[in-house]
Amino acid sequence: SIDKLSEFDQDTRNWVAEQLLRLCLRELFDFEFMQTDPNWSNFFYNHEQRKLYLLDFGAARTFKRSFLKHYYDVINAAANRDRDGVWDASLKLGFVTGEESQIMKNAHIDSVMIIGEPFASEKLHDFHAENMTQKIKALVPVMLKHRLVPP
């Protein structure tokens, strides 16, 4: 299963990680339907067939194109390191109201920029060295205190 990937060589782990990112983007932008439970047990990697399987659709949902257009704009802005674009698309999505304090605005944009880092370069992203989770975790208290609308 996918939680045993640490037993495989780096090339295999890189390939599976790339496939997971591709799957996520295809679910959203091609299928407009996504499995929204990111539990690793919902994915299976068959090393012999070099295939990744999605197993559980119990938490799957559809998305409207209007939402996906603005969601794409957020991802694209983050990938292009465009802080104003992240904020503008976040406003259109209703992720923020526009009345947030500067500290909340910065925390929101910073968190999106962190999540967008894997898409910001043509090079292979080093998730292990990145420590993305810790960076986001450091912003959570600010967002919990200053957020005006639910995430």
Side-chain angles (χ1 to χ4, degrees):
S1 87
I2 202 162
D3 60 341
K4 303 222 186 295
L5 273 175
S6 62
E7 300 170 8
F8 291 98
D9 62 88
Q10 189 63 53
D11 286 341
T12 300
R13 294 193 314 255
N14 290 348
W15 183 87
V16 171
E18 180 180 341
Q19 298 315 302
L20 285 168
L21 285 172
R22 288 179 184 275
L23 174 62
C24 178
L25 294 172
R26 290 204 63 211
E27 283 181 305
L28 282 171
F29 301 113
D30 289 347
F31 310 137
E32 299 173 4
F33 181 83
M34 181 179 224
Q35 199 283 33
T36 60
D37 181 5
N39 184 329
W40 289 123
S41 65
N42 290 333
F43 301 91
F44 178 75
Y45 173 62
N46 183 317
H47 185 64
E48 289 77 31
Q49 295 179 357
R50 195 172 164 107
K51 287 188 176 182
L52 183 65
Y53 296 91
L54 184 53
L55 302 175
D56 181 358
F57 292 92
R61 60 171 288 195
T62 59
F63 293 91
K64 293 181 180 178
R65 283 195 179 162
S66 57
F67 170 84
L68 292 172
K69 188 254 185 263
H70 297 306
Y71 197 77
Y72 174 84
D73 291 343
V74 168
I75 294 170
N76 190 51
N80 288 306
R81 316 314 291 157
D82 176 5
R83 295 178 65 85
D84 291 334
V86 166
W87 185 252
D88 292 343
S90 295
L91 278 166
K92 290 174 184 169
L93 284 165
F95 288 176
V96 292
T97 67
E99 301 297 320
E100 284 76 11
S101 64
Q102 191 62 45
I103 192 169
M104 176 56 203
K105 182 176 180 178
N106 288 340
H108 174 79
I109 294 171
D110 289 348
S111 68
V112 173
M113 298 299 276
I114 291 165
I115 293 167
E117 287 174 3
F119 304 104
S121 173
E122 294 293 323
K123 295 181 192 174
L124 191 61
H125 187 77
D126 186 350
F127 284 94
H128 181 71
E130 180 57 38
N131 209 359
M132 185 182 292
T133 304
Q134 291 302 321
K135 288 179 180 179
I136 297 290
K137 186 178 176 182
L139 295 169
V140 168
V142 173
M143 291 189 283
L144 287 175
K145 183 176 181 181
H146 297 277
R147 182 170 291 283
L148 299 179
V149 292

PDB file of all heavy atoms in Angstrom, residues 36-57:
ATOM      1  N   THR A  36     -12.330  13.428  -1.242  1.00  0.00           N
ATOM      2  CA  THR A  36     -11.861  14.487  -0.342  1.00  0.00           C
ATOM      3  C   THR A  36     -11.350  13.986   1.005  1.00  0.00           C
ATOM      4  O   THR A  36     -11.166  14.777   1.919  1.00  0.00           O
ATOM      5  CB  THR A  36     -12.985  15.523  -0.111  1.00  0.00           C
ATOM      6  OG1 THR A  36     -14.110  14.857   0.472  1.00  0.00           O
ATOM      7  CG2 THR A  36     -13.372  16.198  -1.415  1.00  0.00           C
ATOM      8  N   ASP A  37     -11.113  12.690   1.136  1.00  0.00           N
ATOM      9  CA  ASP A  37     -10.552  12.130   2.362  1.00  0.00           C
ATOM     10  C   ASP A  37      -9.109  11.729   2.086  1.00  0.00           C
ATOM     11  O   ASP A  37      -8.856  10.683   1.497  1.00  0.00           O
ATOM     12  CB  ASP A  37     -11.375  10.915   2.808  1.00  0.00           C
ATOM     13  CG  ASP A  37     -10.851  10.303   4.100  1.00  0.00           C
ATOM     14  OD1 ASP A  37      -9.905  10.864   4.705  1.00  0.00           O
ATOM     15  OD2 ASP A  37     -11.384   9.257   4.507  1.00  0.00           O
ATOM     16  N   PRO A  38      -8.150  12.570   2.498  1.00  0.00           N
ATOM     17  CA  PRO A  38      -6.742  12.307   2.154  1.00  0.00           C
ATOM     18  C   PRO A  38      -6.065  11.241   3.013  1.00  0.00           C
ATOM     19  O   PRO A  38      -4.874  11.289   3.246  1.00  0.00           O
ATOM     20  CB  PRO A  38      -6.093  13.677   2.363  1.00  0.00           C
ATOM     21  CG  PRO A  38      -6.904  14.295   3.452  1.00  0.00           C
ATOM     22  CD  PRO A  38      -8.315  13.819   3.238  1.00  0.00           C
ATOM     23  N   ASN A  39      -6.808  10.261   3.467  1.00  0.00           N
ATOM     24  CA  ASN A  39      -6.261   9.168   4.253  1.00  0.00           C
ATOM     25  C   ASN A  39      -5.436   8.265   3.338  1.00  0.00           C
ATOM     26  O   ASN A  39      -5.920   7.806   2.305  1.00  0.00           O
ATOM     27  CB  ASN A  39      -7.434   8.396   4.877  1.00  0.00           C
ATOM     28  CG  ASN A  39      -6.986   7.292   5.787  1.00  0.00           C
ATOM     29  OD1 ASN A  39      -5.943   6.680   5.601  1.00  0.00           O
ATOM     30  ND2 ASN A  39      -7.800   7.026   6.782  1.00  0.00           N
ATOM     31  N   TRP A  40      -4.200   7.958   3.744  1.00  0.00           N
ATOM     32  CA  TRP A  40      -3.314   7.146   2.891  1.00  0.00           C
ATOM     33  C   TRP A  40      -3.891   5.773   2.601  1.00  0.00           C
ATOM     34  O   TRP A  40      -3.569   5.159   1.592  1.00  0.00           O
ATOM     35  CB  TRP A  40      -1.928   7.024   3.517  1.00  0.00           C
ATOM     36  CG  TRP A  40      -1.152   8.292   3.488  1.00  0.00           C
ATOM     37  CD1 TRP A  40      -0.616   8.947   4.552  1.00  0.00           C
ATOM     38  CD2 TRP A  40      -0.810   9.085   2.339  1.00  0.00           C
ATOM     39  NE1 TRP A  40       0.021  10.090   4.133  1.00  0.00           N
ATOM     40  CE2 TRP A  40      -0.088  10.195   2.781  1.00  0.00           C
ATOM     41  CE3 TRP A  40      -1.071   8.955   0.969  1.00  0.00           C
ATOM     42  CZ2 TRP A  40       0.401  11.169   1.919  1.00  0.00           C
ATOM     43  CZ3 TRP A  40      -0.597   9.935   0.105  1.00  0.00           C
ATOM     44  CH2 TRP A  40       0.131  11.014   0.584  1.00  0.00           C
ATOM     45  N   SER A  41      -4.754   5.262   3.479  1.00  0.00           N
ATOM     46  CA  SER A  41      -5.329   3.937   3.226  1.00  0.00           C
ATOM     47  C   SER A  41      -6.327   3.967   2.070  1.00  0.00           C
ATOM     48  O   SER A  41      -6.762   2.914   1.601  1.00  0.00           O
ATOM     49  CB  SER A  41      -5.998   3.388   4.488  1.00  0.00           C
ATOM     50  OG  SER A  41      -7.110   4.174   4.852  1.00  0.00           O
ATOM     51  N   ASN A  42      -6.664   5.150   1.585  1.00  0.00           N
ATOM     52  CA  ASN A  42      -7.563   5.278   0.435  1.00  0.00           C
ATOM     53  C   ASN A  42      -6.827   5.180  -0.900  1.00  0.00           C
ATOM     54  O   ASN A  42      -7.442   5.310  -1.955  1.00  0.00           O
ATOM     55  CB  ASN A  42      -8.342   6.588   0.501  1.00  0.00           C
ATOM     56  CG  ASN A  42      -9.360   6.580   1.611  1.00  0.00           C
ATOM     57  OD1 ASN A  42      -9.853   5.532   2.006  1.00  0.00           O
ATOM     58  ND2 ASN A  42      -9.669   7.748   2.124  1.00  0.00           N
ATOM     59  N   PHE A  43      -5.526   4.978  -0.838  1.00  0.00           N
ATOM     60  CA  PHE A  43      -4.704   4.855  -2.039  1.00  0.00           C
ATOM     61  C   PHE A  43      -3.936   3.542  -1.981  1.00  0.00           C
ATOM     62  O   PHE A  43      -3.502   3.116  -0.912  1.00  0.00           O
ATOM     63  CB  PHE A  43      -3.709   6.011  -2.149  1.00  0.00           C
ATOM     64  CG  PHE A  43      -4.350   7.359  -2.194  1.00  0.00           C
ATOM     65  CD1 PHE A  43      -4.577   8.076  -1.032  1.00  0.00           C
ATOM     66  CD2 PHE A  43      -4.741   7.912  -3.401  1.00  0.00           C
ATOM     67  CE1 PHE A  43      -5.174   9.317  -1.068  1.00  0.00           C
ATOM     68  CE2 PHE A  43      -5.346   9.158  -3.451  1.00  0.00           C
ATOM     69  CZ  PHE A  43      -5.567   9.859  -2.278  1.00  0.00           C
ATOM     70  N   PHE A  44      -3.761   2.917  -3.124  1.00  0.00           N
ATOM     71  CA  PHE A  44      -2.988   1.687  -3.191  1.00  0.00           C
ATOM     72  C   PHE A  44      -2.001   1.808  -4.343  1.00  0.00           C
ATOM     73  O   PHE A  44      -2.379   2.180  -5.455  1.00  0.00           O
ATOM     74  CB  PHE A  44      -3.906   0.478  -3.408  1.00  0.00           C
ATOM     75  CG  PHE A  44      -3.151  -0.810  -3.523  1.00  0.00           C
ATOM     76  CD1 PHE A  44      -2.613  -1.417  -2.396  1.00  0.00           C
ATOM     77  CD2 PHE A  44      -2.968  -1.405  -4.756  1.00  0.00           C
ATOM     78  CE1 PHE A  44      -1.906  -2.601  -2.497  1.00  0.00           C
ATOM     79  CE2 PHE A  44      -2.256  -2.588  -4.868  1.00  0.00           C
ATOM     80  CZ  PHE A  44      -1.724  -3.181  -3.738  1.00  0.00           C
ATOM     81  N   TYR A  45      -0.748   1.489  -4.072  1.00  0.00           N
ATOM     82  CA  TYR A  45       0.276   1.489  -5.111  1.00  0.00           C
ATOM     83  C   TYR A  45       0.666   0.051  -5.408  1.00  0.00           C
ATOM     84  O   TYR A  45       1.084  -0.683  -4.512  1.00  0.00           O
ATOM     85  CB  TYR A  45       1.504   2.291  -4.680  1.00  0.00           C
ATOM     86  CG  TYR A  45       2.645   2.169  -5.646  1.00  0.00           C
ATOM     87  CD1 TYR A  45       2.507   2.614  -6.959  1.00  0.00           C
ATOM     88  CD2 TYR A  45       3.840   1.578  -5.278  1.00  0.00           C
ATOM     89  CE1 TYR A  45       3.543   2.477  -7.873  1.00  0.00           C
ATOM     90  CE2 TYR A  45       4.885   1.448  -6.179  1.00  0.00           C
ATOM     91  CZ  TYR A  45       4.722   1.894  -7.473  1.00  0.00           C
ATOM     92  OH  TYR A  45       5.752   1.762  -8.371  1.00  0.00           O
ATOM     93  N   ASN A  46       0.515  -0.358  -6.664  1.00  0.00           N
ATOM     94  CA  ASN A  46       0.921  -1.686  -7.110  1.00  0.00           C
ATOM     95  C   ASN A  46       2.266  -1.527  -7.810  1.00  0.00           C
ATOM     96  O   ASN A  46       2.336  -1.008  -8.927  1.00  0.00           O
ATOM     97  CB  ASN A  46      -0.126  -2.270  -8.061  1.00  0.00           C
ATOM     98  CG  ASN A  46       0.217  -3.675  -8.486  1.00  0.00           C
ATOM     99  OD1 ASN A  46       1.367  -3.985  -8.800  1.00  0.00           O
ATOM    100  ND2 ASN A  46      -0.790  -4.526  -8.509  1.00  0.00           N
ATOM    101  N   HIS A  47       3.311  -1.943  -7.127  1.00  0.00           N
ATOM    102  CA  HIS A  47       4.662  -1.755  -7.651  1.00  0.00           C
ATOM    103  C   HIS A  47       4.912  -2.573  -8.919  1.00  0.00           C
ATOM    104  O   HIS A  47       5.552  -2.090  -9.854  1.00  0.00           O
ATOM    105  CB  HIS A  47       5.687  -2.123  -6.577  1.00  0.00           C
ATOM    106  CG  HIS A  47       7.102  -1.856  -6.972  1.00  0.00           C
ATOM    107  ND1 HIS A  47       7.570  -0.582  -7.221  1.00  0.00           N
ATOM    108  CD2 HIS A  47       8.144  -2.693  -7.178  1.00  0.00           C
ATOM    109  CE1 HIS A  47       8.843  -0.649  -7.568  1.00  0.00           C
ATOM    110  NE2 HIS A  47       9.219  -1.911  -7.545  1.00  0.00           N
ATOM    111  N   GLU A  48       4.395  -3.811  -8.971  1.00  0.00           N
ATOM    112  CA  GLU A  48       4.619  -4.665 -10.133  1.00  0.00           C
ATOM    113  C   GLU A  48       3.990  -4.072 -11.398  1.00  0.00           C
ATOM    114  O   GLU A  48       4.567  -4.114 -12.471  1.00  0.00           O
ATOM    115  CB  GLU A  48       4.062  -6.077  -9.891  1.00  0.00           C
ATOM    116  CG  GLU A  48       4.846  -6.894  -8.885  1.00  0.00           C
ATOM    117  CD  GLU A  48       4.565  -6.485  -7.452  1.00  0.00           C
ATOM    118  OE1 GLU A  48       3.427  -6.045  -7.141  1.00  0.00           O
ATOM    119  OE2 GLU A  48       5.504  -6.570  -6.638  1.00  0.00           O
ATOM    120  N   GLN A  49       2.798  -3.506 -11.255  1.00  0.00           N
ATOM    121  CA  GLN A  49       2.101  -2.902 -12.399  1.00  0.00           C
ATOM    122  C   GLN A  49       2.421  -1.419 -12.563  1.00  0.00           C
ATOM    123  O   GLN A  49       2.027  -0.814 -13.556  1.00  0.00           O
ATOM    124  CB  GLN A  49       0.593  -3.073 -12.237  1.00  0.00           C
ATOM    125  CG  GLN A  49       0.143  -4.500 -12.286  1.00  0.00           C
ATOM    126  CD  GLN A  49      -1.369  -4.611 -12.105  1.00  0.00           C
ATOM    127  OE1 GLN A  49      -2.068  -3.626 -11.892  1.00  0.00           O
ATOM    128  NE2 GLN A  49      -1.871  -5.821 -12.210  1.00  0.00           N
ATOM    129  N   ARG A  50       3.114  -0.861 -11.564  1.00  0.00           N
ATOM    130  CA  ARG A  50       3.443   0.567 -11.543  1.00  0.00           C
ATOM    131  C   ARG A  50       2.161   1.398 -11.756  1.00  0.00           C
ATOM    132  O   ARG A  50       2.072   2.250 -12.647  1.00  0.00           O
ATOM    133  CB  ARG A  50       4.500   0.910 -12.577  1.00  0.00           C
ATOM    134  CG  ARG A  50       5.134   2.270 -12.352  1.00  0.00           C
ATOM    135  CD  ARG A  50       6.313   2.472 -13.285  1.00  0.00           C
ATOM    136  NE  ARG A  50       6.690   3.858 -13.360  1.00  0.00           N
ATOM    137  CZ  ARG A  50       7.775   4.378 -12.815  1.00  0.00           C
ATOM    138  NH1 ARG A  50       8.582   3.627 -12.135  1.00  0.00           N
ATOM    139  NH2 ARG A  50       8.039   5.660 -12.939  1.00  0.00           N
ATOM    140  N   LYS A  51       1.173   1.109 -10.885  1.00  0.00           N
ATOM    141  CA  LYS A  51      -0.107   1.794 -10.947  1.00  0.00           C
ATOM    142  C   LYS A  51      -0.507   2.261  -9.567  1.00  0.00           C
ATOM    143  O   LYS A  51      -0.235   1.598  -8.562  1.00  0.00           O
ATOM    144  CB  LYS A  51      -1.203   0.875 -11.495  1.00  0.00           C
ATOM    145  CG  LYS A  51      -1.094   0.617 -12.966  1.00  0.00           C
ATOM    146  CD  LYS A  51      -2.314  -0.125 -13.466  1.00  0.00           C
ATOM    147  CE  LYS A  51      -2.231  -0.298 -14.973  1.00  0.00           C
ATOM    148  NZ  LYS A  51      -3.410  -0.970 -15.506  1.00  0.00           N
ATOM    149  N   LEU A  52      -1.191   3.373  -9.552  1.00  0.00           N
ATOM    150  CA  LEU A  52      -1.729   3.948  -8.333  1.00  0.00           C
ATOM    151  C   LEU A  52      -3.247   3.841  -8.406  1.00  0.00           C
ATOM    152  O   LEU A  52      -3.850   4.206  -9.421  1.00  0.00           O
ATOM    153  CB  LEU A  52      -1.297   5.414  -8.230  1.00  0.00           C
ATOM    154  CG  LEU A  52      -1.700   6.185  -6.996  1.00  0.00           C
ATOM    155  CD1 LEU A  52      -1.024   5.607  -5.760  1.00  0.00           C
ATOM    156  CD2 LEU A  52      -1.316   7.649  -7.168  1.00  0.00           C
ATOM    157  N   TYR A  53      -3.859   3.329  -7.352  1.00  0.00           N
ATOM    158  CA  TYR A  53      -5.309   3.138  -7.324  1.00  0.00           C
ATOM    159  C   TYR A  53      -5.924   3.986  -6.217  1.00  0.00           C
ATOM    160  O   TYR A  53      -5.377   4.055  -5.110  1.00  0.00           O
ATOM    161  CB  TYR A  53      -5.654   1.665  -7.063  1.00  0.00           C
ATOM    162  CG  TYR A  53      -5.197   0.732  -8.144  1.00  0.00           C
ATOM    163  CD1 TYR A  53      -3.951   0.117  -8.087  1.00  0.00           C
ATOM    164  CD2 TYR A  53      -6.018   0.449  -9.228  1.00  0.00           C
ATOM    165  CE1 TYR A  53      -3.524  -0.748  -9.080  1.00  0.00           C
ATOM    166  CE2 TYR A  53      -5.606  -0.420 -10.230  1.00  0.00           C
ATOM    167  CZ  TYR A  53      -4.364  -1.011 -10.145  1.00  0.00           C
ATOM    168  OH  TYR A  53      -3.945  -1.873 -11.139  1.00  0.00           O
ATOM    169  N   LEU A  54      -7.045   4.578  -6.520  1.00  0.00           N
ATOM    170  CA  LEU A  54      -7.853   5.281  -5.536  1.00  0.00           C
ATOM    171  C   LEU A  54      -8.954   4.319  -5.121  1.00  0.00           C
ATOM    172  O   LEU A  54      -9.686   3.803  -5.976  1.00  0.00           O
ATOM    173  CB  LEU A  54      -8.427   6.554  -6.160  1.00  0.00           C
ATOM    174  CG  LEU A  54      -9.232   7.481  -5.292  1.00  0.00           C
ATOM    175  CD1 LEU A  54      -8.473   7.865  -4.036  1.00  0.00           C
ATOM    176  CD2 LEU A  54      -9.592   8.725  -6.070  1.00  0.00           C
ATOM    177  N   LEU A  55      -9.078   4.047  -3.807  1.00  0.00           N
ATOM    178  CA  LEU A  55      -9.929   2.956  -3.349  1.00  0.00           C
ATOM    179  C   LEU A  55     -11.294   3.364  -2.809  1.00  0.00           C
ATOM    180  O   LEU A  55     -12.246   2.616  -2.927  1.00  0.00           O
ATOM    181  CB  LEU A  55      -9.195   2.168  -2.249  1.00  0.00           C
ATOM    182  CG  LEU A  55      -7.843   1.582  -2.638  1.00  0.00           C
ATOM    183  CD1 LEU A  55      -7.190   0.949  -1.420  1.00  0.00           C
ATOM    184  CD2 LEU A  55      -7.987   0.575  -3.754  1.00  0.00           C
ATOM    185  N   ASP A  56     -11.410   4.486  -2.191  1.00  0.00           N
ATOM    186  CA  ASP A  56     -12.620   4.817  -1.444  1.00  0.00           C
ATOM    187  C   ASP A  56     -13.212   6.127  -1.948  1.00  0.00           C
ATOM    188  O   ASP A  56     -12.560   7.157  -1.906  1.00  0.00           O
ATOM    189  CB  ASP A  56     -12.264   4.928   0.040  1.00  0.00           C
ATOM    190  CG  ASP A  56     -13.445   5.234   0.928  1.00  0.00           C
ATOM    191  OD1 ASP A  56     -14.568   5.397   0.414  1.00  0.00           O
ATOM    192  OD2 ASP A  56     -13.244   5.305   2.143  1.00  0.00           O
ATOM    193  N   PHE A  57     -14.443   6.076  -2.404  1.00  0.00           N
ATOM    194  CA  PHE A  57     -15.096   7.277  -2.914  1.00  0.00           C
ATOM    195  C   PHE A  57     -16.205   7.760  -1.984  1.00  0.00           C
ATOM    196  O   PHE A  57     -17.044   8.568  -2.361  1.00  0.00           O
ATOM    197  CB  PHE A  57     -15.668   7.017  -4.314  1.00  0.00           C
ATOM    198  CG  PHE A  57     -14.596   6.821  -5.339  1.00  0.00           C
ATOM    199  CD1 PHE A  57     -14.126   5.558  -5.644  1.00  0.00           C
ATOM    200  CD2 PHE A  57     -14.036   7.915  -5.987  1.00  0.00           C
ATOM    201  CE1 PHE A  57     -13.122   5.376  -6.587  1.00  0.00           C
ATOM    202  CE2 PHE A  57     -13.032   7.740  -6.926  1.00  0.00           C
ATOM    203  CZ  PHE A  57     -12.575   6.473  -7.227  1.00  0.00           C
TER     204      PHE A  57
END
